[in-house]
Each structure stands twice: as structure tokens, then as C-alpha cells.
Amino acid sequence: MDSTDPWETIGRLAEHFAAWDDARGMAREEQWSLQILKLAEEVGEAAQAVIGARGTNPRKGHSHSWEDVRDEVADCVITGMVALARLLGDQARPHFDAVLAQKSAAFLPGPEDA
């Protein structure tokens, strides 16, 4: 893959999955709904990896590593970005940037606070 821009790759993934769902005759809202459910599934896998890394399931013990947790969190981020791209197309990046700016302003000190 030539691009270092993750949003370009995310856009290509979103288009690929949309084309696949289109070929199966799925309506857009159904596609979007299933993509959000996929995100929920990935978050569940991250949670399962944390439980396994902590060894808190007595039946499974230490079934995962913290590297597994990192990989699952990355899957959550990728799946979330793909979901946003499927919902917003080319407007996914500016929307993400705006929401990130809003959220970070609420938690990070501004220049006047430094």
C-alpha cells in the first residue's frame, strides 16, 4: 500500500464493504446498522482480551496478552473509522477532526492555561 494517509485506506475499505453489501442487495441504513454492530463486536473482543490478559476468567486464566489487547483496540479504531466513512463518505475526516477538536477542548488545557 503506497499511501501513508490512513483516511485514504479507510475510504477504500469503506467503499469495498459498501460494494460488497450493495451486491447483496442491502439498503444503506441496513449497511450502516450492521457496521455499527460490527464496531460493538470489536469492542467486545477488546474487552475479552483485557479479561484474558488480566486472567480474571477462572475457566480460561491468562488467555490473552496485552499485545492482544492493543491489537483489538486497533481493530476497534479501524472499524469505527470505517463506520464513519460509510456514514459520511468524503465528509468523514472533517467531521472526525471537528469532533476531536471539540472533545479535546473539553479535556485539554488551552494555550491560555499553560
Side-chain angles (χ1 to χ4, degrees):
M1 201 155 289
D2 299 333
S3 175
T4 58
D5 178 8
W7 280 106
E8 182 179 318
T9 303
I10 292 298
R12 291 175 55 214
L13 285 168
E15 289 172 5
H16 172 77
F17 296 136
W20 190 66
D21 288 343
D22 286 343
R24 296 183 326 166
M26 292 174 63
R28 285 289 172 203
E29 286 189 7
E30 183 179 9
Q31 292 180 32
W32 298 337
S33 298
L34 291 174
Q35 185 69 41
I36 300 306
L37 291 174
K38 180 62 177 170
L39 177 57
E41 177 188 30
E42 294 297 340
V43 171
E45 290 175 10
Q48 183 178 18
V50 170
I51 290 168
R54 302 272 326 243
T56 57
N57 182 332
R59 290 182 299 113
K60 296 181 181 178
H62 282 64
S63 59
H64 292 76
S65 68
W66 285 103
E67 183 176 347
D68 295 327
V69 174
R70 290 188 295 269
D71 290 347
E72 293 298 342
V73 170
D75 284 349
C76 293
V77 172
I78 293 164
T79 304
M81 290 174 75
V82 168
L84 196 58
R86 292 188 73 179
L87 288 163
L88 293 171
D90 291 343
Q91 294 304 305
R93 175 186 276 193
H95 182 79
F96 177 85
D97 290 346
V99 172
L100 179 60
Q102 178 187 20
K103 299 293 182 182
S104 62
F107 294 102
L108 298 176
E112 65 280 352
D113 299 324

